[in-house]
Amino acid sequence: MDISRLSADARQRRSAEIRAFLRSRRARLSPEDVGMAAGGGGRRTPGLRREEVAVLAGVGVSWYTWLEQGRDINVSGDVLDAVARVLRLDAAEREHLYLLAGLNPPPSPPAEREVPPGLRRVIDGWLPRPAYVIDRHWRFAAVNRAARLVFGYGETDHSCLVSFFTSARHRASLCHWEDAAREIAGRFRADAARYPDDPEFSRIASDLCAASPAFAGIWAEHPVGSTSHGTKTLGHPEAGELVFEYTTLPLEDLPGHRLLLYTPAPGTDTAQRLAALLGTPEPVAG
């Protein structure tokens, strides 16, 4: 579809349609529907806010606002699919969004970010222990089944940083959340300093400040950290208390990417609880 050839009246109708369509889809979802805290009674209108959709989809708040306003902006299938996942659009609604945005809808969603087959085998072979790969912006590149079950990562989770600060389940289950939040924000700031010419870090931080008052407060204190290992304790709704030691490893073949491996902490029954959660016959030695 070539939007540039549309008449002024057609452009106006298209802008009005995409505005009404996206607003209606935001309105039918609550923060709880996408795993975010309710945030009290301060909402004037029902549904998700624009900044919440943007940060969950991994796009800029301004860009999403312009999309919803029907402005002539550059769009791609990847970002439209991210918005569609957050708004839980079905196949017909996703196709409609593509057409309103001026793109030909693809027959199926694009493939997940490519990770070398050997590395993916390492991640899957780490089962029943959690493991995942993130890129330099902390977006997921690959996640194994254990990480999804243990940490609650779903189809709409695109970033471990965003999920940490916006997921109600994450906050409720993780022990010593405030300490971990300060550490994570400090590590993200340290990463941003390594890429001074990359504006994406500032964009992510700015949008997350708008979506998470907790992140905004910590970010304003300018914490800095660079630890690559530690211990994480959480209260899983099904498995109970799980205690992990984690290690972060850089990946030479994927510059900026890191592999995070979690191991049941010695002296705990995490291995047995983890095996039961994943349905494996024998517990993993801690």
Side-chain angles (χ1 to χ4, degrees), residues 1 29 76 79 108 110 163 169 172 199-200 220 236 241 253 258:
M1 179 187 297
L29 293 174
S76 70
V79 294
S108 60
S163 295
R169 170 178 170 175
E200 184 69 2
H236 192 275
E241 184 178 83
D253 291 340
R258 285 165 288 181

Side-chain angles (χ1 to χ4, degrees), residues 3-17:
I3 297 177
S4 64
R5 296 182 180 179
L6 296 178
S7 67
D9 288 343
R11 286 171 180 262
Q12 189 173 8
R13 288 195 300 271
R14 171 185 164 274
S15 296
E17 176 65 19

Side-chain angles (χ1 to χ4, degrees), residues 222-244:
H222 293 264
V224 178
S226 59
T227 181
S228 61
H229 56 85
T231 301
K232 179 179 290 188
T233 303
L234 63 150
H236 192 275
E238 298 176 28
E241 184 178 83
L242 301 173
V243 185
F244 293 99

Side-chain angles (χ1 to χ4, degrees), residues 157-176:
D157 290 285
H158 71 280
S159 161
C160 61
L161 177 71
V162 171
S163 295
F164 183 93
F165 282 99
T166 63
S167 169
R169 170 178 170 175
H170 218 95
R171 182 155 190 166
S173 65
L174 188 63
C175 299
H176 311 296

Side-chain angles (χ1 to χ4, degrees), residues 2-286:
D2 188 352
I3 297 177
S4 64
R5 296 182 180 179
L6 296 178
S7 67
D9 288 343
R11 286 171 180 262
Q12 189 173 8
R13 288 195 300 271
R14 171 185 164 274
S15 296
E17 176 65 19
I18 196 169
R19 180 167 58 249
F21 177 69
L22 288 174
R23 283 179 176 176
S24 70
R25 270 39 183 190
R26 278 197 292 117
R28 72 183 182 183
L29 293 174
S30 68
E32 296 93 329
D33 290 332
V34 294
M36 299 181 71
R43 292 175 183 264
R44 299 178 185 176
T45 57
L48 297 177
R49 296 189 176 106
R50 285 174 175 171
E51 60 266 25
E52 291 168 341
V53 175
V55 75
L56 290 172
V59 300
V61 174
S62 296
W63 185 93
Y64 178 77
T65 300
W66 294 336
L67 173 69
E68 192 168 294
Q69 291 173 344
R71 296 194 190 185
D72 290 334
I73 56 175
N74 292 324
V75 296
S76 70
D78 287 341
V79 294
L80 289 182
D81 282 335
V83 170
R85 284 194 297 270
V86 172
L87 295 178
R88 301 191 176 181
L89 304 186
D90 61 24
E93 291 170 329
R94 173 175 171 267
E95 179 178 354
H96 187 59
L97 176 61
Y98 264 79
L99 293 173
L100 290 176
L103 293 183
N104 292 320
S108 60
E112 186 181 16
R113 288 185 181 90
E114 286 299 322
V115 170
L119 177 57
R120 190 171 293 279
R121 285 192 291 271
V122 169
I123 297 169
D124 292 338
W126 198 249
L127 289 170
R129 297 161 294 186
Y132 53 88
V133 173
I134 58 174
D135 66 15
R136 73 179 183 180
H137 299 125
W138 293 45
R139 297 188 181 100
F140 291 120
V143 185
N144 76 1
R145 177 170 170 261
R148 295 193 182 280
L149 290 177
V150 169
F151 303 122
Y153 296 139
E155 292 302 318
T156 60
D157 290 285
H158 71 280
S159 161
C160 61
L161 177 71
V162 171
S163 295
F164 183 93
F165 282 99
T166 63
S167 169
R169 170 178 170 175
H170 218 95
R171 182 155 190 166
S173 65
L174 188 63
C175 299
H176 311 296
W177 187 91
E178 291 80 5
D179 293 338
R182 188 173 302 278
E183 177 184 321
I184 286 176
R187 286 161 53 194
F188 186 73
R189 185 180 291 278
D191 283 352
R194 294 187 179 94
Y195 302 98
D197 296 327
D198 187 344
E200 184 69 2
F201 286 95
S202 295
R203 201 271 309 164
I204 292 171
S206 176
D207 291 351
L208 196 49
C209 281
S212 170
F215 178 83
I218 295 172
W219 192 250
E221 298 174 6
H222 293 264
V224 178
S226 59
T227 181
S228 61
H229 56 85
T231 301
K232 179 179 290 188
T233 303
L234 63 150
H236 192 275
E238 298 176 28
E241 184 178 83
L242 301 173
V243 185
F244 293 99
E245 295 178 342
Y246 67 85
T247 300
T248 306
L249 303 173
L251 300 171
E252 293 184 1
D253 291 340
L254 292 173
H257 288 58
R258 285 165 288 181
L259 170 64
L260 283 86
L261 299 174
Y262 290 80
T263 304
T268 72
D269 59 358
T270 298
Q272 291 81 2
R273 293 174 181 267
L274 188 60
L277 179 65
L278 271 75
T280 53
E282 295 292 337
V284 177

